[in-house]
Short mmCIF file of all heavy atoms in Angstrom, two decimals:
data_model
loop_
_atom_site.label_atom_id
_atom_site.label_comp_id
_atom_site.label_asym_id
_atom_site.label_seq_id
_atom_site.Cartn_x
_atom_site.Cartn_y
_atom_site.Cartn_z
N LYS A 1 10.63 -4.42 3.74
CA LYS A 1 9.46 -4.44 2.90
C LYS A 1 9.88 -4.04 1.48
O LYS A 1 10.73 -3.19 1.31
CB LYS A 1 8.42 -3.49 3.45
CG LYS A 1 7.91 -3.95 4.80
CD LYS A 1 7.09 -2.88 5.47
CE LYS A 1 6.73 -3.34 6.84
NZ LYS A 1 7.34 -2.58 7.89
N SER A 2 9.24 -4.65 0.54
CA SER A 2 9.61 -4.45 -0.85
C SER A 2 8.59 -3.55 -1.56
O SER A 2 7.38 -3.73 -1.41
CB SER A 2 9.66 -5.81 -1.56
OG SER A 2 9.68 -5.66 -2.94
N LYS A 3 9.10 -2.60 -2.31
CA LYS A 3 8.24 -1.71 -3.08
C LYS A 3 7.46 -2.48 -4.14
O LYS A 3 6.27 -2.26 -4.34
CB LYS A 3 9.09 -0.62 -3.73
CG LYS A 3 8.31 0.39 -4.51
CD LYS A 3 9.22 1.44 -5.08
CE LYS A 3 9.15 1.37 -6.56
NZ LYS A 3 9.78 2.47 -7.25
N PHE A 4 8.11 -3.43 -4.80
CA PHE A 4 7.46 -4.23 -5.84
C PHE A 4 6.33 -5.07 -5.27
O PHE A 4 5.22 -5.11 -5.82
CB PHE A 4 8.49 -5.12 -6.55
CG PHE A 4 7.88 -6.02 -7.58
CD1 PHE A 4 7.49 -5.52 -8.81
CD2 PHE A 4 7.68 -7.36 -7.32
CE1 PHE A 4 6.91 -6.33 -9.76
CE2 PHE A 4 7.10 -8.19 -8.25
CZ PHE A 4 6.71 -7.68 -9.48
N ILE A 5 6.59 -5.75 -4.16
CA ILE A 5 5.56 -6.57 -3.54
C ILE A 5 4.40 -5.71 -3.07
O ILE A 5 3.23 -6.07 -3.24
CB ILE A 5 6.14 -7.40 -2.37
CG1 ILE A 5 7.08 -8.46 -2.94
CG2 ILE A 5 5.04 -8.05 -1.55
CD1 ILE A 5 7.83 -9.25 -1.89
N THR A 6 4.69 -4.55 -2.50
CA THR A 6 3.63 -3.65 -2.06
C THR A 6 2.77 -3.22 -3.23
O THR A 6 1.54 -3.22 -3.14
CB THR A 6 4.24 -2.40 -1.38
OG1 THR A 6 5.06 -2.83 -0.29
CG2 THR A 6 3.16 -1.48 -0.86
N ALA A 7 3.39 -2.87 -4.35
CA ALA A 7 2.64 -2.44 -5.53
C ALA A 7 1.78 -3.57 -6.07
O ALA A 7 0.62 -3.37 -6.44
CB ALA A 7 3.59 -1.93 -6.60
N MET A 8 2.32 -4.79 -6.12
CA MET A 8 1.55 -5.92 -6.62
C MET A 8 0.38 -6.27 -5.70
O MET A 8 -0.71 -6.60 -6.15
CB MET A 8 2.44 -7.15 -6.81
CG MET A 8 3.45 -7.02 -7.94
SD MET A 8 2.66 -6.75 -9.55
CE MET A 8 3.00 -5.04 -9.84
N LEU A 9 0.61 -6.18 -4.39
CA LEU A 9 -0.49 -6.41 -3.45
C LEU A 9 -1.57 -5.35 -3.61
O LEU A 9 -2.77 -5.66 -3.53
CB LEU A 9 0.03 -6.42 -2.01
CG LEU A 9 0.83 -7.65 -1.59
CD1 LEU A 9 1.43 -7.45 -0.21
CD2 LEU A 9 -0.02 -8.90 -1.63
N ALA A 10 -1.16 -4.10 -3.84
CA ALA A 10 -2.14 -3.03 -4.05
C ALA A 10 -2.94 -3.28 -5.32
O ALA A 10 -4.15 -3.05 -5.35
CB ALA A 10 -1.44 -1.68 -4.12
N LEU A 11 -2.29 -3.78 -6.35
CA LEU A 11 -2.97 -4.02 -7.62
C LEU A 11 -3.95 -5.19 -7.54
O LEU A 11 -5.10 -5.08 -7.96
CB LEU A 11 -1.95 -4.28 -8.73
CG LEU A 11 -2.50 -4.54 -10.13
CD1 LEU A 11 -3.25 -3.30 -10.62
CD2 LEU A 11 -1.38 -4.89 -11.07
N PHE A 12 -3.52 -6.31 -6.96
CA PHE A 12 -4.33 -7.52 -6.99
C PHE A 12 -5.22 -7.72 -5.76
O PHE A 12 -6.29 -8.29 -5.87
CB PHE A 12 -3.43 -8.75 -7.19
CG PHE A 12 -2.77 -8.75 -8.54
CD1 PHE A 12 -1.41 -8.58 -8.65
CD2 PHE A 12 -3.51 -8.92 -9.69
CE1 PHE A 12 -0.79 -8.58 -9.89
CE2 PHE A 12 -2.92 -8.91 -10.94
CZ PHE A 12 -1.55 -8.74 -11.04
N LEU A 13 -4.77 -7.29 -4.59
CA LEU A 13 -5.54 -7.50 -3.37
C LEU A 13 -5.79 -6.19 -2.62
O LEU A 13 -6.16 -6.20 -1.44
CB LEU A 13 -4.80 -8.48 -2.44
CG LEU A 13 -4.58 -9.88 -3.00
CD1 LEU A 13 -3.66 -10.67 -2.10
CD2 LEU A 13 -5.91 -10.59 -3.18
N GLY A 14 -5.62 -5.09 -3.31
CA GLY A 14 -5.75 -3.78 -2.67
C GLY A 14 -7.14 -3.47 -2.18
O GLY A 14 -7.31 -2.74 -1.20
N GLY A 15 -8.15 -3.99 -2.82
CA GLY A 15 -9.52 -3.74 -2.39
C GLY A 15 -9.81 -4.28 -1.00
O GLY A 15 -10.73 -3.83 -0.33
N LEU A 16 -8.99 -5.24 -0.57
CA LEU A 16 -9.12 -5.80 0.78
C LEU A 16 -8.13 -5.18 1.76
O LEU A 16 -8.14 -5.52 2.94
CB LEU A 16 -8.93 -7.32 0.74
CG LEU A 16 -9.93 -8.09 -0.12
CD1 LEU A 16 -9.53 -9.55 -0.19
CD2 LEU A 16 -11.33 -7.93 0.42
N GLY A 17 -7.27 -4.31 1.27
CA GLY A 17 -6.30 -3.63 2.13
C GLY A 17 -5.08 -4.43 2.48
O GLY A 17 -4.35 -4.08 3.40
N ILE A 18 -4.83 -5.51 1.75
CA ILE A 18 -3.70 -6.39 2.07
C ILE A 18 -2.37 -5.64 2.01
O ILE A 18 -1.48 -5.87 2.83
CB ILE A 18 -3.68 -7.62 1.14
CG1 ILE A 18 -5.01 -8.38 1.22
CG2 ILE A 18 -2.50 -8.52 1.44
CD1 ILE A 18 -5.38 -8.87 2.60
N HIS A 19 -2.22 -4.71 1.08
CA HIS A 19 -0.97 -3.96 0.98
C HIS A 19 -0.74 -3.09 2.20
O HIS A 19 0.39 -2.87 2.62
CB HIS A 19 -0.92 -3.13 -0.31
CG HIS A 19 -1.96 -2.07 -0.42
ND1 HIS A 19 -3.31 -2.34 -0.48
CD2 HIS A 19 -1.86 -0.72 -0.48
CE1 HIS A 19 -3.99 -1.21 -0.57
NE2 HIS A 19 -3.12 -0.21 -0.57
N ARG A 20 -1.81 -2.60 2.82
CA ARG A 20 -1.67 -1.78 4.03
C ARG A 20 -1.28 -2.65 5.23
O ARG A 20 -0.48 -2.23 6.06
CB ARG A 20 -2.97 -1.02 4.32
CG ARG A 20 -3.28 0.03 3.29
CD ARG A 20 -2.20 1.08 3.26
NE ARG A 20 -2.43 2.04 2.20
CZ ARG A 20 -1.62 3.06 1.98
NH1 ARG A 20 -0.56 3.26 2.72
NH2 ARG A 20 -1.87 3.88 0.99
N PHE A 21 -1.83 -3.85 5.31
CA PHE A 21 -1.40 -4.77 6.37
C PHE A 21 0.07 -5.13 6.18
O PHE A 21 0.82 -5.20 7.15
CB PHE A 21 -2.26 -6.05 6.36
CG PHE A 21 -3.65 -5.85 6.88
CD1 PHE A 21 -4.75 -5.99 6.04
CD2 PHE A 21 -3.89 -5.53 8.21
CE1 PHE A 21 -6.03 -5.82 6.51
CE2 PHE A 21 -5.17 -5.36 8.70
CZ PHE A 21 -6.24 -5.50 7.85
N TYR A 22 0.50 -5.33 4.94
CA TYR A 22 1.89 -5.66 4.64
C TYR A 22 2.83 -4.54 5.10
O TYR A 22 3.92 -4.80 5.59
CB TYR A 22 2.05 -5.92 3.14
CG TYR A 22 3.47 -6.17 2.69
CD1 TYR A 22 4.10 -7.37 2.98
CD2 TYR A 22 4.16 -5.22 1.95
CE1 TYR A 22 5.40 -7.61 2.56
CE2 TYR A 22 5.45 -5.45 1.53
CZ TYR A 22 6.07 -6.64 1.85
OH TYR A 22 7.36 -6.88 1.43
N LEU A 23 2.39 -3.30 4.94
CA LEU A 23 3.21 -2.17 5.34
C LEU A 23 3.14 -1.88 6.85
O LEU A 23 3.80 -0.98 7.33
CB LEU A 23 2.78 -0.91 4.57
CG LEU A 23 3.09 -0.93 3.08
CD1 LEU A 23 2.48 0.29 2.40
CD2 LEU A 23 4.59 -0.98 2.84
N GLY A 24 2.31 -2.64 7.56
CA GLY A 24 2.19 -2.43 9.00
C GLY A 24 1.17 -1.37 9.38
O GLY A 24 1.11 -0.95 10.52
N GLN A 25 0.37 -0.95 8.43
CA GLN A 25 -0.67 0.06 8.67
C GLN A 25 -1.99 -0.66 8.90
O GLN A 25 -2.90 -0.63 8.08
CB GLN A 25 -0.76 1.03 7.49
CG GLN A 25 0.52 1.78 7.25
CD GLN A 25 0.47 2.61 5.98
OE1 GLN A 25 -0.30 2.34 5.08
NE2 GLN A 25 1.31 3.63 5.95
N ASN A 26 -2.09 -1.31 10.05
CA ASN A 26 -3.22 -2.18 10.33
C ASN A 26 -4.55 -1.45 10.42
O ASN A 26 -5.58 -1.99 10.00
CB ASN A 26 -2.96 -2.97 11.61
CG ASN A 26 -1.80 -3.92 11.46
OD1 ASN A 26 -1.49 -4.37 10.36
ND2 ASN A 26 -1.13 -4.21 12.55
N LYS A 27 -4.56 -0.24 10.94
CA LYS A 27 -5.83 0.52 11.03
C LYS A 27 -6.36 0.85 9.64
O LYS A 27 -7.55 0.71 9.37
CB LYS A 27 -5.64 1.78 11.86
CG LYS A 27 -5.42 1.50 13.32
CD LYS A 27 -5.20 2.77 14.11
CE LYS A 27 -4.85 2.43 15.54
NZ LYS A 27 -4.53 3.61 16.32
N ARG A 28 -5.48 1.28 8.77
CA ARG A 28 -5.89 1.56 7.39
C ARG A 28 -6.34 0.29 6.68
O ARG A 28 -7.33 0.29 5.95
CB ARG A 28 -4.75 2.19 6.59
CG ARG A 28 -4.68 3.65 6.71
CD ARG A 28 -3.75 4.19 5.65
NE ARG A 28 -3.59 5.61 5.83
CZ ARG A 28 -2.76 6.33 5.14
NH1 ARG A 28 -1.99 5.78 4.23
NH2 ARG A 28 -2.66 7.62 5.35
N GLY A 29 -5.60 -0.79 6.90
CA GLY A 29 -5.97 -2.06 6.30
C GLY A 29 -7.34 -2.52 6.76
O GLY A 29 -8.14 -3.03 5.97
N LEU A 30 -7.64 -2.31 8.02
CA LEU A 30 -8.95 -2.68 8.55
C LEU A 30 -10.06 -1.84 7.93
O LEU A 30 -11.13 -2.37 7.61
CB LEU A 30 -8.95 -2.54 10.08
CG LEU A 30 -10.17 -3.09 10.80
CD1 LEU A 30 -10.34 -4.57 10.52
CD2 LEU A 30 -10.03 -2.85 12.29
N LEU A 31 -9.80 -0.57 7.72
CA LEU A 31 -10.80 0.29 7.06
C LEU A 31 -11.05 -0.17 5.63
O LEU A 31 -12.20 -0.22 5.18
CB LEU A 31 -10.34 1.75 7.06
CG LEU A 31 -10.48 2.49 8.38
CD1 LEU A 31 -9.84 3.87 8.29
CD2 LEU A 31 -11.93 2.60 8.78
N TYR A 32 -10.00 -0.52 4.92
CA TYR A 32 -10.17 -1.05 3.56
C TYR A 32 -11.03 -2.32 3.61
O TYR A 32 -11.93 -2.50 2.80
CB TYR A 32 -8.81 -1.41 2.95
CG TYR A 32 -8.04 -0.28 2.33
CD1 TYR A 32 -7.57 0.79 3.07
CD2 TYR A 32 -7.73 -0.31 0.98
CE1 TYR A 32 -6.83 1.80 2.50
CE2 TYR A 32 -6.98 0.70 0.38
CZ TYR A 32 -6.54 1.75 1.15
OH TYR A 32 -5.80 2.74 0.58
N LEU A 33 -10.73 -3.18 4.58
CA LEU A 33 -11.44 -4.45 4.69
C LEU A 33 -12.91 -4.24 5.05
O LEU A 33 -13.79 -4.88 4.49
CB LEU A 33 -10.75 -5.32 5.73
CG LEU A 33 -11.09 -6.79 5.78
CD1 LEU A 33 -10.82 -7.44 4.43
CD2 LEU A 33 -10.27 -7.46 6.86
N LEU A 34 -13.18 -3.32 5.96
CA LEU A 34 -14.56 -3.06 6.38
C LEU A 34 -15.43 -2.47 5.26
O LEU A 34 -16.62 -2.73 5.20
CB LEU A 34 -14.59 -2.13 7.59
CG LEU A 34 -14.12 -2.74 8.91
CD1 LEU A 34 -14.04 -1.66 9.99
CD2 LEU A 34 -15.03 -3.86 9.34
N PHE A 35 -14.82 -1.68 4.41
CA PHE A 35 -15.58 -1.01 3.35
C PHE A 35 -15.35 -1.61 1.96
O PHE A 35 -15.72 -1.00 0.96
CB PHE A 35 -15.24 0.49 3.33
CG PHE A 35 -15.75 1.21 4.53
CD1 PHE A 35 -14.90 1.53 5.58
CD2 PHE A 35 -17.08 1.56 4.63
CE1 PHE A 35 -15.37 2.18 6.70
CE2 PHE A 35 -17.57 2.21 5.75
CZ PHE A 35 -16.71 2.52 6.79
N CYS A 36 -14.79 -2.81 1.90
CA CYS A 36 -14.49 -3.42 0.60
C CYS A 36 -15.75 -3.64 -0.24
O CYS A 36 -15.69 -3.63 -1.46
CB CYS A 36 -13.71 -4.71 0.77
SG CYS A 36 -14.62 -6.05 1.50
N TRP A 37 -16.90 -3.80 0.38
CA TRP A 37 -18.14 -4.03 -0.35
C TRP A 37 -18.59 -2.80 -1.13
O TRP A 37 -19.39 -2.90 -2.05
CB TRP A 37 -19.24 -4.50 0.60
CG TRP A 37 -19.53 -3.51 1.68
CD1 TRP A 37 -18.89 -3.38 2.88
CD2 TRP A 37 -20.52 -2.48 1.65
NE1 TRP A 37 -19.41 -2.33 3.60
CE2 TRP A 37 -20.42 -1.76 2.86
CE3 TRP A 37 -21.47 -2.10 0.72
CZ2 TRP A 37 -21.25 -0.69 3.16
CZ3 TRP A 37 -22.30 -1.03 1.03
CH2 TRP A 37 -22.18 -0.33 2.23
N THR A 38 -18.06 -1.61 -0.80
CA THR A 38 -18.44 -0.39 -1.51
C THR A 38 -17.62 -0.14 -2.76
O THR A 38 -17.94 0.75 -3.53
CB THR A 38 -18.29 0.84 -0.60
OG1 THR A 38 -16.91 1.03 -0.29
CG2 THR A 38 -19.10 0.70 0.67
N LEU A 39 -16.55 -0.90 -2.94
CA LEU A 39 -15.59 -0.76 -4.05
C LEU A 39 -14.76 0.52 -3.99
O LEU A 39 -13.91 0.73 -4.84
CB LEU A 39 -16.29 -0.88 -5.41
CG LEU A 39 -16.97 -2.22 -5.68
CD1 LEU A 39 -17.62 -2.19 -7.06
CD2 LEU A 39 -15.99 -3.36 -5.58
N ILE A 40 -15.01 1.36 -3.01
CA ILE A 40 -14.18 2.56 -2.85
C ILE A 40 -12.73 2.19 -2.52
O ILE A 40 -11.81 2.77 -3.10
CB ILE A 40 -14.80 3.52 -1.81
CG1 ILE A 40 -16.12 4.07 -2.35
CG2 ILE A 40 -13.84 4.64 -1.46
CD1 ILE A 40 -16.93 4.84 -1.34
N PRO A 41 -12.50 1.23 -1.62
CA PRO A 41 -11.10 0.84 -1.37
C PRO A 41 -10.39 0.30 -2.62
O PRO A 41 -9.19 0.48 -2.76
CB PRO A 41 -11.21 -0.25 -0.30
CG PRO A 41 -12.47 0.06 0.41
CD PRO A 41 -13.39 0.59 -0.65
N SER A 42 -11.13 -0.30 -3.52
CA SER A 42 -10.52 -0.78 -4.77
C SER A 42 -10.03 0.38 -5.62
O SER A 42 -8.96 0.31 -6.22
CB SER A 42 -11.51 -1.62 -5.57
OG SER A 42 -11.86 -2.76 -4.86
N LEU A 43 -10.81 1.44 -5.67
CA LEU A 43 -10.39 2.63 -6.42
C LEU A 43 -9.18 3.29 -5.77
O LEU A 43 -8.24 3.71 -6.45
CB LEU A 43 -11.54 3.62 -6.52
CG LEU A 43 -12.76 3.15 -7.31
CD1 LEU A 43 -13.89 4.16 -7.19
CD2 LEU A 43 -12.39 2.94 -8.75
N ILE A 44 -9.19 3.37 -4.45
CA ILE A 44 -8.06 3.96 -3.73
C ILE A 44 -6.82 3.09 -3.91
O ILE A 44 -5.71 3.60 -4.09
CB ILE A 44 -8.40 4.16 -2.25
CG1 ILE A 44 -9.55 5.16 -2.11
CG2 ILE A 44 -7.19 4.64 -1.47
CD1 ILE A 44 -10.11 5.26 -0.71
N ALA A 45 -7.00 1.77 -3.89
CA ALA A 45 -5.87 0.85 -4.07
C ALA A 45 -5.27 0.99 -5.46
O ALA A 45 -4.06 0.85 -5.63
CB ALA A 45 -6.31 -0.58 -3.81
N CYS A 46 -6.10 1.27 -6.44
CA CYS A 46 -5.59 1.50 -7.79
C CYS A 46 -4.68 2.74 -7.80
O CYS A 46 -3.61 2.73 -8.40
CB CYS A 46 -6.75 1.66 -8.76
SG CYS A 46 -6.24 1.84 -10.47
N LEU A 47 -5.10 3.78 -7.13
CA LEU A 47 -4.26 4.98 -7.00
C LEU A 47 -3.00 4.67 -6.21
O LEU A 47 -1.92 5.16 -6.55
CB LEU A 47 -5.05 6.11 -6.34
CG LEU A 47 -6.24 6.65 -7.11
CD1 LEU A 47 -7.01 7.66 -6.27
CD2 LEU A 47 -5.79 7.27 -8.42
N ASP A 48 -3.14 3.87 -5.13
CA ASP A 48 -1.98 3.46 -4.34
C ASP A 48 -0.97 2.72 -5.21
O ASP A 48 0.23 2.93 -5.07
CB ASP A 48 -2.39 2.55 -3.19
CG ASP A 48 -3.06 3.27 -2.04
OD1 ASP A 48 -2.94 4.50 -1.97
OD2 ASP A 48 -3.70 2.59 -1.22
N PHE A 49 -1.46 1.85 -6.09
CA PHE A 49 -0.58 1.10 -6.99
C PHE A 49 0.31 2.06 -7.79
O PHE A 49 1.53 1.91 -7.83
CB PHE A 49 -1.39 0.22 -7.93
CG PHE A 49 -0.60 -0.35 -9.07
CD1 PHE A 49 0.31 -1.36 -8.85
CD2 PHE A 49 -0.75 0.14 -10.36
CE1 PHE A 49 1.06 -1.88 -9.90
CE2 PHE A 49 -0.02 -0.37 -11.40
CZ PHE A 49 0.89 -1.39 -11.18
N PHE A 50 -0.30 3.06 -8.43
CA PHE A 50 0.48 4.01 -9.22
C PHE A 50 1.39 4.85 -8.34
O PHE A 50 2.52 5.18 -8.72
CB PHE A 50 -0.44 4.89 -10.07
CG PHE A 50 -1.06 4.15 -11.21
CD1 PHE A 50 -2.40 3.83 -11.21
CD2 PHE A 50 -0.29 3.74 -12.29
CE1 PHE A 50 -2.96 3.12 -12.26
CE2 PHE A 50 -0.84 3.04 -13.35
CZ PHE A 50 -2.18 2.73 -13.32
N PHE A 51 0.92 5.18 -7.15
CA PHE A 51 1.74 5.93 -6.21
C PHE A 51 3.01 5.14 -5.87
O PHE A 51 4.11 5.70 -5.88
CB PHE A 51 0.92 6.24 -4.95
CG PHE A 51 1.68 6.94 -3.88
CD1 PHE A 51 2.00 8.28 -4.01
CD2 PHE A 51 2.08 6.26 -2.75
CE1 PHE A 51 2.71 8.94 -3.01
CE2 PHE A 51 2.77 6.91 -1.75
CZ PHE A 51 3.09 8.25 -1.88
N PHE A 52 2.86 3.86 -5.58
CA PHE A 52 4.02 3.04 -5.23
C PHE A 52 4.93 2.80 -6.43
O PHE A 52 6.15 2.79 -6.29
CB PHE A 52 3.59 1.70 -4.63
CG PHE A 52 2.98 1.82 -3.27
CD1 PHE A 52 1.74 1.29 -2.99
CD2 PHE A 52 3.65 2.48 -2.24
CE1 PHE A 52 1.18 1.40 -1.73
CE2 PHE A 52 3.10 2.60 -0.99
CZ PHE A 52 1.85 2.06 -0.73
N ILE A 53 4.36 2.60 -7.61
CA ILE A 53 5.17 2.36 -8.80
C ILE A 53 6.06 3.56 -9.12
O ILE A 53 7.23 3.41 -9.46
CB ILE A 53 4.27 2.02 -10.01
CG1 ILE A 53 3.69 0.62 -9.86
CG2 ILE A 53 5.02 2.13 -11.34
CD1 ILE A 53 4.70 -0.50 -9.88
N PHE A 54 5.51 4.76 -9.01
CA PHE A 54 6.26 5.96 -9.38
C PHE A 54 7.07 6.55 -8.23
O PHE A 54 7.83 7.49 -8.45
CB PHE A 54 5.33 7.01 -9.98
CG PHE A 54 4.78 6.59 -11.31
CD1 PHE A 54 3.43 6.36 -11.49
CD2 PHE A 54 5.62 6.40 -12.39
CE1 PHE A 54 2.93 5.96 -12.71
CE2 PHE A 54 5.15 5.99 -13.63
CZ PHE A 54 3.79 5.77 -13.78
N MET A 55 6.93 6.01 -7.03
CA MET A 55 7.72 6.48 -5.89
C MET A 55 9.16 5.99 -6.05
O MET A 55 9.39 4.85 -6.47
CB MET A 55 7.11 5.93 -4.59
CG MET A 55 7.87 6.31 -3.34
SD MET A 55 7.21 5.49 -1.86
CE MET A 55 5.82 6.52 -1.52
N SER A 56 10.11 6.81 -5.72
CA SER A 56 11.51 6.38 -5.81
C SER A 56 11.80 5.32 -4.74
O SER A 56 11.16 5.28 -3.69
CB SER A 56 12.45 7.57 -5.64
OG SER A 56 12.46 8.00 -4.30
N GLU A 57 12.76 4.49 -5.05
CA GLU A 57 13.13 3.42 -4.12
C GLU A 57 13.64 3.99 -2.80
O GLU A 57 13.33 3.48 -1.73
CB GLU A 57 14.21 2.54 -4.77
CG GLU A 57 14.47 1.26 -4.05
CD GLU A 57 13.34 0.26 -4.14
OE1 GLU A 57 12.75 0.13 -5.21
OE2 GLU A 57 13.05 -0.40 -3.13
N ASP A 58 14.39 5.08 -2.87
CA ASP A 58 14.91 5.70 -1.66
C ASP A 58 13.80 6.25 -0.78
O ASP A 58 13.82 6.09 0.43
CB ASP A 58 15.90 6.82 -2.01
CG ASP A 58 17.19 6.29 -2.57
OD1 ASP A 58 17.54 5.12 -2.29
OD2 ASP A 58 17.85 7.03 -3.32
N LYS A 59 12.84 6.92 -1.40
CA LYS A 59 11.73 7.48 -0.63
C LYS A 59 10.90 6.36 0.00
O LYS A 59 10.48 6.47 1.14
CB LYS A 59 10.84 8.34 -1.53
CG LYS A 59 9.74 9.03 -0.76
CD LYS A 59 8.94 9.97 -1.63
CE LYS A 59 7.83 10.61 -0.82
NZ LYS A 59 6.98 11.46 -1.64
N PHE A 60 10.68 5.27 -0.74
CA PHE A 60 9.93 4.14 -0.20
C PHE A 60 10.66 3.56 1.01
O PHE A 60 10.06 3.30 2.05
CB PHE A 60 9.73 3.05 -1.26
CG PHE A 60 8.95 1.88 -0.76
CD1 PHE A 60 7.56 1.90 -0.79
CD2 PHE A 60 9.58 0.76 -0.24
CE1 PHE A 60 6.83 0.82 -0.31
CE2 PHE A 60 8.87 -0.31 0.23
CZ PHE A 60 7.49 -0.28 0.20
N ARG A 61 11.96 3.34 0.86
CA ARG A 61 12.74 2.79 1.97
C ARG A 61 12.72 3.71 3.18
O ARG A 61 12.59 3.24 4.30
CB ARG A 61 14.18 2.56 1.53
CG ARG A 61 14.51 1.11 1.37
CD ARG A 61 15.94 0.95 1.03
NE ARG A 61 16.15 1.73 -0.19
CZ ARG A 61 17.27 1.82 -0.86
NH1 ARG A 61 18.31 1.18 -0.44
NH2 ARG A 61 17.37 2.52 -1.95
N TYR A 62 12.84 5.00 2.95
CA TYR A 62 12.84 5.97 4.06
C TYR A 62 11.50 5.98 4.77
O TYR A 62 11.43 6.04 5.99
CB TYR A 62 13.18 7.36 3.52
CG TYR A 62 13.16 8.43 4.58
CD1 TYR A 62 14.20 8.54 5.50
CD2 TYR A 62 12.10 9.32 4.68
CE1 TYR A 62 14.19 9.51 6.49
CE2 TYR A 62 12.08 10.30 5.65
CZ TYR A 62 13.12 10.39 6.55
OH TYR A 62 13.11 11.34 7.52
N GLN A 63 10.42 5.90 4.02
CA GLN A 63 9.09 6.01 4.59
C GLN A 63 8.59 4.71 5.22
O GLN A 63 7.96 4.73 6.27
CB GLN A 63 8.10 6.47 3.52
CG GLN A 63 6.76 6.87 4.06
CD GLN A 63 5.93 7.61 3.01
OE1 GLN A 63 6.41 7.89 1.92
NE2 GLN A 63 4.72 7.91 3.35
N TYR A 64 8.85 3.56 4.60
CA TYR A 64 8.27 2.31 5.05
C TYR A 64 9.27 1.33 5.66
O TYR A 64 8.87 0.33 6.24
CB TYR A 64 7.53 1.63 3.90
CG TYR A 64 6.39 2.48 3.40
CD1 TYR A 64 6.44 3.12 2.17
CD2 TYR A 64 5.25 2.66 4.18
CE1 TYR A 64 5.40 3.91 1.72
CE2 TYR A 64 4.19 3.45 3.74
CZ TYR A 64 4.28 4.06 2.52
OH TYR A 64 3.25 4.86 2.08
N ASN A 65 10.55 1.58 5.53
CA ASN A 65 11.59 0.76 6.16
C ASN A 65 12.54 1.67 6.95
O ASN A 65 13.71 1.81 6.59
CB ASN A 65 12.39 -0.01 5.10
CG ASN A 65 11.57 -1.02 4.38
OD1 ASN A 65 10.71 -1.66 4.95
ND2 ASN A 65 11.83 -1.17 3.09
N PRO A 66 12.08 2.27 8.02
CA PRO A 66 12.91 3.26 8.71
C PRO A 66 14.17 2.69 9.35
O PRO A 66 15.12 3.42 9.58
CB PRO A 66 11.97 3.82 9.79
CG PRO A 66 10.94 2.78 9.98
CD PRO A 66 10.79 2.08 8.67
N ASN A 67 14.24 1.40 9.57
CA ASN A 67 15.41 0.80 10.22
C ASN A 67 16.34 0.11 9.24
O ASN A 67 17.12 -0.75 9.61
CB ASN A 67 14.96 -0.20 11.29
CG ASN A 67 14.16 0.47 12.39
OD1 ASN A 67 14.42 1.60 12.73
ND2 ASN A 67 13.17 -0.23 12.90
N SER A 68 16.27 0.48 7.97
CA SER A 68 17.10 -0.21 6.97
C SER A 68 18.37 0.55 6.61
O SER A 68 18.88 0.41 5.53
CB SER A 68 16.27 -0.45 5.71
OG SER A 68 15.96 0.78 5.09
N GLY A 69 18.85 1.37 7.50
CA GLY A 69 20.12 2.04 7.25
C GLY A 69 20.00 3.52 6.97
O GLY A 69 20.99 4.17 6.71
N PHE A 70 18.82 4.09 6.98
CA PHE A 70 18.69 5.53 6.78
C PHE A 70 18.76 6.24 8.08
O PHE A 70 18.37 5.88 9.08
CB PHE A 70 17.35 5.87 6.09
CG PHE A 70 17.44 5.84 4.60
CD1 PHE A 70 17.09 4.72 3.89
CD2 PHE A 70 17.91 6.93 3.91
CE1 PHE A 70 17.17 4.70 2.53
CE2 PHE A 70 18.00 6.93 2.56
CZ PHE A 70 17.63 5.80 1.86
#
């Protein structure tokens, strides 16, 4: 999984939880999708975008790609 793609999905499609489905967090993605009409997931996705942008590449790989050599 790519940190850049995750951040872009959070920015553009985050209100629907697409970035969470991409990361394999299907339950969270479903919650985003169920509550997308409230716009709360869009606000959280905006925070997620900045979280992913400022996260180090190593930390992202360790947390979301556990089988990539760590």
Side-chain angles (χ1 to χ4, degrees):
K1 295 169 186 113
S2 165
K3 182 179 117 169
F4 177 76
I5 292 174
T6 303
M8 291 300 107
L9 287 173
L11 181 63
F12 294 112
L13 298 171
L16 299 174
I18 303 302
H19 64 295
R20 293 298 175 179
F21 287 114
Y22 176 73
L23 291 174
Q25 299 174 337
N26 295 333
K27 291 178 185 176
R28 274 193 184 174
L30 189 59
L31 284 173
Y32 277 64
L33 195 57
L34 288 173
F35 292 101
C36 68
W37 59 275
T38 65
L39 298 180
I40 293 170
S42 296
L43 295 173
I44 296 171
C46 184
L47 295 174
D48 285 343
F49 167 73
F50 288 109
F51 177 74
F52 290 126
I53 288 295
F54 292 115
M55 178 186 280
S56 72
E57 192 70 40
D58 289 335
K59 185 175 179 183
F60 181 85
R61 252 184 303 183
Y62 178 76
Q63 191 167 355
Y64 298 108
N65 295 323
N67 298 326
S68 67
F70 272 96

